Amino acid sequence: MTAESLTRGPGRPGSPVVRTLCRSQEPWGCLGFTLLMLAAVPLAGTLVAWVLLRVAGVRPAWRVAALGPVLPGGRGITDRAERELVASKVPLLAPDLHGYRMYFPEASEYSGTFGYLLLPRPVETSAADREQRGVRVTVSPQVSGFAPPDVCEVESGGSRVDAGPCEQVAPDTWRSTRGGSIRYIARREGVIVVLTGGGPSVPDGDLRAMADSLAVRRPAFFLDPNGR
């Protein structure tokens, strides 16, 4: 059997494109070309998966994308992301998403926090001012310095901040304007949820509605939050 015959099925002529590519790879021949393609296709698939996961907001995207090709079936990437959410050290709390989309949900094993970004539906993740127009949500264990209304020390966006003094606006719900940002702080399910408006374009009423509608969600909610 010749190398060229490997490139065509029984009784069918080989593809002219494949024959041309095989000849162009001398001295490798068709076998070398085939081996090269077998290595290149999974790599290309991983890169495409990484881009799609970044857009979808899955973190860490590169780790999930890298495992995708080796896991059985089309659910490989989804299964890995779901396992990370299930392993979250805090409840998966989220508000109703009326008028907003959710991006970048991430449960951090290191800090023990869970967070994501909420953007108004017209705002794309590629927008340069997305942080100023969005709402950062952080779910974390209550820190020892949290003693509202005078002292409101909380985890927000990966760092600890003192948002006090904060005004109580509802049971276990406080509002702070310290540092030029409006924050709603809610104590739910034994943890603290901080909703931080990125700028003046985020309506105070939206933040209040989010705080009021916080509820524990299933992992599936975060795997496809914008498809509902």
Side-chain angles (χ1 to χ4, degrees):
M1 180 179 293
T2 65
E4 183 172 324
S5 67
L6 292 174
T7 65
R8 62 173 184 264
R12 295 179 305 183
S15 165
V17 174
V18 172
R19 288 201 303 269
T20 300
L21 289 172
C22 287
R23 294 192 189 104
S24 69
Q25 299 299 319
E26 297 294 350
W28 287 19
C30 291
L31 180 58
F33 174 76
T34 301
L35 293 175
L36 181 62
M37 289 299 100
L38 288 175
V41 170
L43 177 60
T46 299
L47 290 174
V48 171
W50 178 80
V51 172
L52 294 176
L53 287 165
R54 292 281 299 184
V55 173
V58 176
R59 292 292 187 276
W62 70 267
R63 285 169 53 191
V64 179
L67 283 176
V70 301
L71 294 173
R75 284 191 51 82
I77 293 174
T78 301
D79 288 347
R80 175 58 186 267
E82 185 173 10
R83 285 197 299 271
E84 292 187 351
L85 290 170
V86 169
S88 172
K89 297 180 179 180
V90 292
L92 301 177
L93 286 154
D96 295 337
L97 300 181
H98 300 310
Y100 284 78
R101 294 182 183 273
M102 177 186 291
Y103 297 97
F104 318 126
E106 180 180 6
S108 172
E109 181 179 357
Y110 175 75
S111 65
T113 63
F114 173 61
Y116 45 88
L117 175 66
L118 300 178
L119 292 177
R121 287 188 175 271
V123 180
E124 300 294 335
T125 57
S126 58
D129 61 344
R130 74 180 189 193
E131 296 292 335
Q132 288 72 41
R133 301 173 66 183
V135 178
R136 276 284 174 188
V137 182
T138 304
V139 184
S140 68
Q142 180 172 314
V143 302
S144 58
F146 184 72
D150 297 324
V151 181
C152 296
E153 190 172 343
V154 294
E155 294 280 350
S156 179
S159 61
R160 186 170 294 191
V161 298
D162 184 2
C166 49
E167 172 193 7
Q168 185 165 6
V169 294
D172 284 330
T173 306
W174 297 266
R175 179 181 181 273
S176 168
T177 57
R178 184 167 180 172
S181 296
I182 298 178
R183 287 187 178 91
Y184 273 79
I185 304 166
R187 182 160 47 200
R188 304 285 189 271
E189 303 294 328
V191 297
I192 301 298
V193 184
V194 180
L195 303 104
T196 304
S201 64
V202 180
D204 188 290
D206 286 4
L207 291 167
R208 175 63 187 270
M210 290 176 187
D212 290 343
S213 65
L214 285 168
V216 176
R217 313 288 180 171
R218 296 177 179 271
F221 178 91
F222 302 93
L223 295 174
D224 186 25
N226 304 321
R228 60 194 71 254

